Amino acid sequence: MNFFEELKWRGLINDITSPEVEDVINNQKVTFYIGTDPTADSLHIGHYSSLLMAKRLEQHGHHPIMLVGGATGFIGDPKATGERNMLTPEVLKHNFDCLHEQISKLWGFEMVNNLDWTKDMTVIDFLRDFGKFFNVNYMLNKETVKKRLDSGISYTEFSYMILQSLDFLTLYQTKNCVMQIGGQDQWGNITSGLELIRKKCGADVKCYGLTMPLITKADGTKFGKSESGTVWLDPAKTSPYELYQFLFNTEDAKVIEYLKKLTFLSVEEITKLEESLKNEPHKRLAQKALAQEVVRDLHGQEELDSALKITDALFRGNLQNLEAKERLSAVKNMDKIECNADLNLVDFLIQTKIASSKREAREWINGNSISVNGEKIKDVNYIVSLDKAYIENYILIKRGKKNNYCVILK
């Protein structure tokens, strides 16, 4: 299969603006751009597929430009659910700086800020030079806007389409950027940008657009900053261990899709993992490959090794072998129980509701079924105190082989 066919096989092509896009991607070397607004101080897993798409195109000889929207971030791309909260200039500046550093470190793309070409523009300039080219009826027919007509949409968010179109025009004029790529929810903005370029620069201009399907969870909801349980690409917000566990726990129904979209594994390698998923799902080889590839690509082999070490320690109970940073990662995403310190182990198990009675608690302790921080405890008078915490004020209790508890000592 050729390059474009592989992108389709990976599920990375949703819409293209003309059949010529396939030839452009396969046989030409063009400059294209992808954009994101600084509405948070880190990208998340929902962005990752799009950024890998840019990297795939770069590896095939195309030149990517990453636009971080210092201007459009002030406005907010319309959501189907309602108006966005306005961010302050200080927050946007902080977010922009964080994203700039993150993207530069991870991918090294050329980066631009649309605030550079909009900050000195007057309202009259905006309306005369650009707003004049946008028909309101045309804008109302765009999918995202149509979804908001019943609930209402402000003029501010309605005008976002014009600002993003101006981005495409500016990059075409200044950097010979002839293609924009984005998620499928960006189709209306991308096609509006193409229309603006043709109206300002001539109908014979060759520019293109491509959208990718949004990556979704098994229940059909998308990954996003406003969704619960956001998985961030910043290791300070989502540790490599947490990312590993999140991906390792991917449902069978989604893991092959994620392997295609979120890794550089070859067609042959993914096909073998798909066969393993079908014939020996209990081995979870597809999930292991997904977690390892993404964590290694994002955070490096050392952080992957650490994530694997934490995983193994929790599974085998070798908790004392972890360093302080690894211990914090291990407890961070565990469900927590609060309990007073300085209790004997029997009373501790009762207060945390791990055991339902003192008799049950004693039986477990005497039967060698209770571990504290990975060590078996057979003394019913053992005192659970802060000086015995696993890390900070956390203590880990294990009952039997599978029941793990993280307790915050007060």
Side-chain angles (χ1 to χ4, degrees), residues 337-341 343 346-355:
I337 306 170
E338 289 191 353
C339 186
N340 293 321
L343 298 173
V346 171
D347 291 337
F348 185 82
L349 294 175
I350 295 296
Q351 283 208 14
T352 55
K353 298 182 179 180
I354 295 172

Side-chain angles (χ1 to χ4, degrees), residues 38-57:
T39 48
D41 59 4
S42 171
L43 300 171
H44 56 74
I45 197 70
H47 293 115
Y48 193 51
S49 175
S50 299
L51 288 158
L52 287 194
M53 176 67 157
K55 194 66 180 178
R56 295 179 209 277
L57 290 169

Side-chain angles (χ1 to χ4, degrees), residues 174-185:
T174 61
K175 294 181 177 293
N176 194 32
C177 176
V178 298
M179 183 163 64
Q180 182 183 356
I181 68 172
Q184 65 188 70
D185 56 345

Side-chain angles (χ1 to χ4, degrees), residues 72-116:
T72 42
F74 278 102
I75 302 302
D77 197 2
K79 297 190 301 180
T81 53
E83 291 283 316
R84 293 181 183 271
N85 294 323
M86 291 283 195
L87 300 179
T88 66
E90 293 76 19
V91 169
L92 283 168
K93 176 64 166 59
H94 168 76
N95 291 349
F96 178 90
D97 291 341
C98 290
L99 293 187
H100 192 286
E101 180 180 0
Q102 185 176 55
I103 294 164
S104 297
K105 179 180 178 181
L106 289 174
W107 291 284
F109 295 152
E110 177 184 356
M111 296 183 63
V112 295
N113 181 356
N114 58 17
L115 189 62
D116 292 340

